Amino acid sequence: AGDQKVKTTSKSNKTLQLIAILAAMSVIPSLSAVEALSTEELTLHCKLYFDESASEDRTFCVRYIQGFIDGAVATDVSVTNNVTKEYEKEETFSQRATRTRIGTRLKRYGPSVYAEYCFGDPVPLAEVVEHVVADLADESVAEEYPLARDVVYSSLRTHYPCVIED
């Protein structure tokens, strides 16, 4: 009977702990609550890019685009490295050929090659921003791409396509 009481108490404690954890989690803001920047909001900032008196808007526009590129490059390198490591575990001849090709393509065209845009030679950030700003000026863009990240991605793919020589 004593063992039965210990088990019941242990279950009650675990239940109370679970309830406490769930209650605490409901109070903590969720990471999924972070909203993606809308194309409309990015457009509001970037339409003032050429207005030198609108320094905050200009800075916001440039930094958003620069952050997108930096984040994409970092992610592309990590993803490519993870894929390469996965192939190296127990690879067949065709997998090794694919991995070798991935490594060669990455070295030749840079980490963004699999994202379907390539900068090649160093490109001035101002040039990239001006392309995105011009694309945002098209009113149909917000309808086609409601999220700012999608507009920037589309703009990069349009203005800096990869020319791959296999």
Side-chain angles (χ1 to χ4, degrees):
D3 287 339
Q4 185 66 17
K5 188 174 184 178
V6 170
K7 287 181 183 177
T8 305
T9 305
S10 178
K11 281 185 179 180
S12 295
N13 285 341
K14 287 183 181 181
T15 303
L16 289 174
Q17 288 173 345
L18 181 60
I19 290 170
I21 290 170
L22 292 173
M25 288 175 62
S26 68
V27 176
I28 299 171
S30 170
L31 288 178
S32 64
V34 175
E35 289 185 37
L37 185 69
S38 71
T39 297
E40 185 178 338
E41 187 175 352
L42 183 61
T43 301
L44 290 173
H45 292 286
C46 289
K47 73 180 182 182
L48 299 171
Y49 175 72
F50 295 104
D51 180 352
E52 291 186 22
S53 67
S55 63
E56 284 185 23
D57 290 300
R58 293 179 61 176
T59 300
F60 183 95
C61 179
V62 171
R63 295 300 173 230
Y64 181 86
I65 295 166
Q66 182 179 33
F68 178 94
I69 294 167
D70 287 348
V73 169
T75 302
D76 291 344
V77 170
S78 296
V79 169
T80 303
N81 288 339
N82 290 341
V83 169
T84 302
K85 286 177 189 173
E86 186 68 29
Y87 275 123
E88 288 173 345
K89 287 182 182 174
E90 290 183 36
E91 63 185 359
T92 65
F93 175 76
S94 62
Q95 289 171 328
R96 187 171 60 248
T98 301
R99 178 180 51 83
T100 305
R101 188 175 188 153
I102 286 172
T104 302
R105 186 172 284 181
L106 184 64
K107 286 177 189 171
R108 285 180 70 191
Y109 301 105
S112 63
V113 66
Y114 293 102
E116 299 178 336
Y117 64 88
C118 298
F119 292 117
D121 294 329
V123 175
L125 180 60
E127 176 186 309
V128 177
V129 171
E130 288 172 14
H131 284 302
V132 175
V133 168
D135 291 344
L136 287 167
D138 180 351
E139 293 178 11
S140 67
V141 166
E143 291 176 23
E144 187 173 353
Y145 303 107
L147 298 178
R149 65 179 177 227
D150 297 332
V151 174
V152 175
Y153 180 61
S154 173
S155 187
L156 294 175
R157 290 177 63 204
T158 299
H159 299 287
Y160 301 97
C162 297
V163 179
I164 298 176
E165 302 162 7
D166 288 326

